């Protein structure tokens, strides 16, 4: 089959975020199953598609709210209100339906759509009803918006998140209803989206790379704990705030924590051992330099790619139970606790023994299960053909 993989941002090879890592893993799995995959979507400004022969680029967009000007944010809000679209989807309406339709036709004959997450599919929803589709739900987006609303500081932001949650719930319901099959990244998301039946959905166990990471022992340890992520993304920020406010005060003063990645301007910690280092050139080398990895997710849905990477690398970790969603197996050097005091104690205890485990078995297990789930979804997609938009 020839599948059109419709996504907001097409792969550029950088794998700078969990979303991009997940996309790469899913596209690779579809191709391992023998399917031809053409990707359609936008690029980041200045970052060309990594596979131009199999990619249709609609233009370049920067959809990051945290780096947008106040004027741009107001324009997005106004357009969302006028169009009835979500704030996330309206950012992609830099081209119109006819331009997207023409680009789809340039893909040549194809058999079905893989609608990758809700943002792009929601922005151009009426264009994807003419063929069979698979919907990939990276998260239960309306649940994340509800959590963001609860955590918002101001009334205006809280009302915007509530509106986003209401609209996202309707879009997710429509996309799931029309899809021949739904992929989620965590088991609990299947029920949350109303597709818990095995005939309707399956979980995609992900990997962060095609081959198991090379284990490097002994490691050179430069700090006690390291965290890396896009902390401007609200679900990540909620977890980081929990860690800094609830866990860090229970760490001894000389415990060294390095935090890397995109940072909100108001991020602070009074603990003398906490250091915010911004973006780092090599994320994997950065986490390998820590004695233990805190896995601190407390909200959101989908899967935590940092958890998967930590397990693939065989690194010692302390995790919240929420960080393990979508993970069927955890290694022996992962301690799980949701109690902040116990979390801090487990971090300090882990520093005494920095030996890793072989993460290749975890990687092989994930890859085998990913390929099996993809095959199940593709079987449900056929026979392919014309669909009636409902």
């Amino acid at each position: 089959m020839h599948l059109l993989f419709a996504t907001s941002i097409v792969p550029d090879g950088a794998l700078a975020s969990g979303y991009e890592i997940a996309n790469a893993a899913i596209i690779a799995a579809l191709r391992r199953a023998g399917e031809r995959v053409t990707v359609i979507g936008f690029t980041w400004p200045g970052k060309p598609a990594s596979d131009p022969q199999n990619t249709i680029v609609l233009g370049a967009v920067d959809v990051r709210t945290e780096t947008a000007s106040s004027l741009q944010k107001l324009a997005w809000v106004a357009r969302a209100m006028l169009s009835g679209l979500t704030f996330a989807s309206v950012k992609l309406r830099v081209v119109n339906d006819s331009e997207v339709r023409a680009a789809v036709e340039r893909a040549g004959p194809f058999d079905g759509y893989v609608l990758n997450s809700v943002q792009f599919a929601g922005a151009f929803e009426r264009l994807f009803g003419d063929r069979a589709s698979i919907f990939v739900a990276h998260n239960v987006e309306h649940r994340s918006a509800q959590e963001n609303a609860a955590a918002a500081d101001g009334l205006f932001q809280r009302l915007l998140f509530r509106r986003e949650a209401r609209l996202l719930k309707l879009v997710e319901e429509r996309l799931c209803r029309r899809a021949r099959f739904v992929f989620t990244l965590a088991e609990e998301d299947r029920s949350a989206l109303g597709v818990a039946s095995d005939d309707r959905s399956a979980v995609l166990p992900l990997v962060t790379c095609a081959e198991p990471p090379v284990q490097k022992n002994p490691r050179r340890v430069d700090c006690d704990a390291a965290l890396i992520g896009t902390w401007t993304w609200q679900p990540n920020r909620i977890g980081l705030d929990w860690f800094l406010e609830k866990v860090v005060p229970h760490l001894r003063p000389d415990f060294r924590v390095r935090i890397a990645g995109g940072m909100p301007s108001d991020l602070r910690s009074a603990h003398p051992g906490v250091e915010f280092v911004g973006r780092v050139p090599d994320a994997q080398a950065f986490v390998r330099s820590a004695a233990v990895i805190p896995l601190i997710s407390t909200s959101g849905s989908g899967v935590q790619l940092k958890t998967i990477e930590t397990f693939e690398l065989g690194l010692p970790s302390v995790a919240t139970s929420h960080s393990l969603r979508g993970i069927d197996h955890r290694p022996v050097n992962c301690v799980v606790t949701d109690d902040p005091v116990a979390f801090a104690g487990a971090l300090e205890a882990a520093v005494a023994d920095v030996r890793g485990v072989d993460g290749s078995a975890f990687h092989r297990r994930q890859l085998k299960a990913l390929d099996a789930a993809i095959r199940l979804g593709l079987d449900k997609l056929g026979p392919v053909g014309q669909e009636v938009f409902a």
Side-chain angles (χ1 to χ4, degrees):
M1 284 188 294
H2 181 195
L3 300 175
L4 195 64
F5 190 91
T7 185
S8 54
I9 304 296
V10 304
D12 60 18
L15 302 183
S17 69
Y19 180 72
E20 292 162 331
I21 292 169
N23 290 346
I26 295 166
I27 292 169
L30 289 168
R31 289 174 173 159
R32 281 197 303 273
E35 311 304 339
R36 178 186 171 196
V37 180
T38 297
V39 181
I40 184 170
F42 298 89
T43 62
W44 290 108
K47 293 187 176 182
S50 58
D51 183 16
Q53 298 303 313
N54 296 296
T55 304
I56 298 172
V57 176
L58 298 171
V61 294
D62 188 340
V63 295
R64 294 171 296 182
T65 303
E66 66 274 8
T67 58
S69 67
S70 297
L71 187 60
Q72 177 64 80
K73 292 175 187 176
L74 286 173
W76 282 334
V77 170
R79 289 172 58 198
M81 295 297 181
L82 291 171
S83 66
L85 293 174
T86 66
F87 185 71
S89 287
V90 82
K91 296 175 182 180
L92 302 175
R93 293 290 304 187
V94 295
V95 293
N96 58 37
D97 284 4
S98 61
E99 291 173 295
V100 177
R101 187 177 293 108
V104 168
E105 291 173 356
R106 290 200 300 274
F110 63 96
D111 301 294
Y113 300 108
V114 178
L115 302 179
N116 184 53
S117 197
V118 73
Q119 290 83 6
F120 186 84
F124 303 99
E125 193 174 350
R126 294 201 62 84
L127 301 183
F128 300 115
D130 61 333
R131 284 173 174 79
S133 66
I134 289 174
F135 176 46
V136 182
H138 285 243
N139 302 282
V140 182
E141 298 287 357
H142 76 269
R143 289 273 182 91
S144 295
Q146 289 169 349
E147 292 173 345
N148 293 346
D153 293 329
L155 177 61
F156 182 67
Q157 190 178 41
R158 186 156 56 250
L159 291 174
L160 283 180
F161 278 127
R162 287 176 180 171
R163 176 187 181 273
E164 198 83 349
R166 175 175 54 82
L167 295 178
L168 282 168
K169 190 174 191 298
L170 295 173
V171 176
E172 286 174 325
E173 287 174 351
R174 290 195 297 268
L175 291 172
C176 288
R177 184 172 66 248
R178 294 171 189 147
R180 293 277 184 91
F181 203 72
V182 177
F183 287 129
T184 68
L185 304 188
E187 179 61 39
E188 53 266 40
D189 292 357
R190 298 172 67 206
S191 295
L193 290 170
V195 291
S197 166
D198 290 344
D199 289 332
R200 296 284 292 119
S201 69
V203 177
L204 293 181
L206 296 181
V207 293
T208 67
C209 48
E211 299 294 331
V214 177
Q215 307 295 317
K216 298 179 181 178
N217 289 308
R219 293 185 296 124
R220 176 183 173 180
V221 174
D222 295 325
C223 64
D224 295 314
L227 302 89
I228 187 169
T230 304
W231 307 114
T232 50
W233 189 50
Q234 190 67 12
N236 285 354
R237 175 64 188 269
I238 292 171
L240 184 59
D241 285 344
W242 173 82
F243 178 72
L244 292 175
E245 295 168 9
K246 305 295 185 183
V247 177
V248 166
H250 299 289
L251 295 171
R252 62 178 186 264
D254 63 343
F255 193 91
R256 300 163 298 160
V257 180
R258 290 181 182 168
I259 302 173
M263 303 286 180
S265 59
D266 62 343
L267 207 53
R268 302 283 188 276
S269 175
H271 189 283
V274 173
E275 181 182 5
F276 300 101
V277 298
R279 300 189 184 278
V280 293
D282 188 331
Q284 195 174 105
F286 174 76
V287 295
R288 284 185 188 273
S289 71
V292 60
I293 306 301
L295 302 171
I296 58 171
S297 177
T298 61
S299 69
S301 51
V303 69
Q304 282 285 295
L305 268 298
K306 286 304 169 187
T307 300
I308 291 175
E309 182 181 42
T310 299
F311 291 176
E312 287 176 335
L313 292 170
L315 299 175
S317 61
V318 180
T320 61
S321 57
H322 201 76
S323 296
L324 300 182
R325 63 189 188 273
I327 308 293
D328 290 333
H329 174 79
R330 64 180 175 91
V332 294
N333 62 345
C334 174
V335 176
V336 183
T337 179
D338 293 315
D339 177 74
V341 177
F343 200 105
L347 288 175
E348 292 183 346
V351 170
D353 185 1
V354 299
R355 290 176 298 175
V357 299
D358 182 6
S360 61
F362 175 83
H363 183 277
R364 287 192 299 271
R365 185 185 295 108
Q366 290 285 108
L367 196 66
K368 182 178 179 180
L370 169 60
D371 287 346
I374 287 287
R375 186 70 268 165
L376 177 63
L378 291 173
D379 289 344
K380 295 293 182 180
L381 186 62
V384 296
Q386 299 296 309
E387 297 284 298
V388 177
F389 193 97

